[in-house]
Amino acid sequence: MTNEMTPIRLGTRRSRLAVAQSGTVARELERVSGRPVELVQITSEGDTNRASLASLGGAGVFATRLREALRAGECDILVHSLKDLPVEQPPGLVIAATPPRADARDVVITRDGITLDELPPGSRIGTGSPRRMAQVRRANPQAAVHDLRGNIDSRMGRVRDDELDAVILAAAGLVRTGSDDAEIPTVAGLSVEPRVLSSWPTAAGQAALAVETLTDADPQLLAWLGELDAPLTRFAVTLERAVLGGIEAGCHAPVGIHAQTSDGTVHVRAGVYDDESHNDVTLDHSERLDGFESLIEGYIQARGSGAAADSSGLTVRAREIGSELARRLLRYGAADIVNREAAPSS
């Protein structure tokens, strides 16, 4: 870093949600560093091309242009929605911080407060996520699912304008763009129905942010970013992404996976969704984490050192559990579903 008045440049997508969540990280980084942080807005192909994410190569399309900007020296750090990042970390880059996770649930937005399960046959439900499409069909087989792209406001506008009867959104997006509170904000004129994670697991890493920089970034910058890192969030999302990687499913596959810890025990719910619901593969797992406090202490000592934190005992344990759960899912039949989803259509 040059001098204390030189801004730290934070690269972000241009959407209202991306700018809002990047602004949250910027304020925290200013607090811990004493340095100004400026946002560098970057346009990706995923922001300008209205084709489905699957046809563009998955949600990782959002990260490609940002990472090019980081490598080119256009910015010093990036802030991503972690669920948009491919599991495989590219050489030369490191996720230096995962700040505390927001509300990981999905929510159903409707005009009149009727729950998703009770919407009448033929109700038009909008979502661009294959996972959410499958979960909607499980909850209400008579609903008509419509592929949907666009920002939060445009999606909710289609419900308000009676083009759709409901849309499925991430609770974290509503919180980050509409409220400073930890609770889901009230959406003017629309009703919000949170789904329950125990029966509706969301995308790996949903509601978590990833602060990414160069592996050989300035040690002081890495140390500042380390202070933004939340060990419990890192553990949970590392486990979730290990499951996703273990079954060789992309970040836009019809897979829901959510992990959380309480009192030294990790609880995991996973679902791999087939075209036919009776072929779904689901898994519930709880495991006592012996020595968990010591693993957290070791991680806190290692964070801020870039790649070292990613090889700490805490993250290694998360990957071990995630990999074992992936093997169980594969034994139960997840491989057949994922392979069919990945096969090109005729």
Side-chain angles (χ1 to χ4, degrees):
M1 312 300 287
T2 52
N3 63 66
E4 63 183 20
M5 296 309 296
T6 301
I8 299 170
R9 299 164 301 163
L10 187 160
T12 178
R13 291 172 55 200
R14 293 177 178 269
S15 73
R16 186 163 74 99
L17 173 57
V19 170
Q21 60 194 26
S22 294
T24 300
V25 173
R27 289 188 293 274
E28 283 298 295
L29 184 54
E30 287 178 337
R31 180 184 62 80
V32 302
S33 69
R35 296 274 295 276
V37 178
E38 65 177 21
L39 300 188
V40 179
Q41 297 187 16
I42 300 165
T43 301
S44 70
E45 182 184 3
D47 294 311
T48 57
N49 192 324
R50 293 294 93 187
S52 69
L53 286 179
S55 68
L56 293 176
V61 69
F62 293 122
T64 301
R65 172 67 188 102
L66 271 69
R67 285 169 163 171
E68 290 172 352
L70 179 62
R71 288 192 171 103
E74 298 173 32
C75 53
D76 303 305
I77 63 173
L78 302 172
V79 172
H80 307 277
S81 292
L82 184 58
K83 70 175 183 178
D84 289 344
L85 290 185
V87 172
E88 193 69 28
Q89 185 68 15
L93 302 181
V94 62
I95 295 176
T98 52
R101 191 180 208 167
D103 190 334
R105 295 175 295 178
D106 278 345
V107 295
V108 183
I109 306 295
T110 60
R111 285 184 300 279
D112 49 19
I114 299 176
T115 65
L116 174 63
D117 306 57
E118 295 175 343
L119 283 169
S123 293
R124 301 153 298 175
I125 316 297
T127 176
S129 159
R131 184 233 346 139
R132 288 172 175 159
M133 291 178 181
Q135 289 172 320
V136 166
R137 294 187 178 108
R138 304 307 182 266
N140 191 332
Q142 302 303 313
V145 182
H146 293 256
D147 190 24
L148 183 65
R149 290 286 310 279
N151 60 36
I152 290 174
D153 292 331
S154 68
R155 296 185 193 204
M156 292 196 298
R158 295 185 66 176
V159 176
R160 190 174 284 110
D161 296 340
D162 201 26
E163 295 179 41
L164 295 170
D165 297 299
V167 293
I168 315 298
L169 301 174
L174 291 180
V175 171
R176 286 171 175 148
T177 59
S179 174
D180 292 329
D181 300 325
E183 300 297 326
I184 301 170
T186 300
V187 180
L190 297 174
S191 297
V192 180
E193 177 206 348
R195 303 300 290 182
V196 180
L197 287 165
S198 60
S199 59
W200 184 292
T202 49
Q206 180 156 312
L209 301 179
V211 185
E212 188 173 48
T213 190
L214 301 173
T215 305
D216 60 357
D218 186 286
Q220 180 61 75
L221 176 61
L222 290 171
W224 286 330
L225 295 177
E227 293 189 45
L228 307 185
D229 199 49
L232 292 182
T233 295
R234 176 76 75 152
F235 177 82
V237 299
T238 299
L239 190 161
E240 292 166 12
R241 285 163 63 80
V243 173
L244 204 62
I247 62 175
E248 298 185 349
C251 52
H252 207 58
V255 178
I257 171 75
H258 181 72
Q260 62 182 24
T261 57
S262 61
D263 299 325
T265 299
V266 61
H267 307 277
V268 186
R269 168 71 174 182
V272 183
Y273 302 100
D274 188 49
D275 291 338
E276 301 293 335
S277 60
H278 61 267
N279 291 327
D280 290 351
V281 177
T282 60
L283 180 150
D284 286 290
H285 176 78
S286 293
E287 178 175 338
R288 182 72 183 171
L289 300 166
D290 294 332
F292 193 52
E293 290 185 2
S294 296
L295 291 177
I296 291 175
E297 290 174 3
Y299 178 80
I300 290 173
Q301 293 173 4
R303 69 182 181 180
S305 57
D310 200 45
S311 59
S312 73
L314 184 74
T315 51
V316 168
R317 186 73 185 107
R319 281 191 287 269
E320 289 174 347
I321 296 172
S323 297
E324 174 56 31
L325 296 182
R327 285 190 286 270
R328 287 171 56 183
L329 288 167
L330 291 172
R331 288 198 301 270
Y332 300 158
D336 293 337
I337 299 173
V338 171
N339 290 338
R340 281 198 300 274
E341 291 292 336
S345 56
S346 56

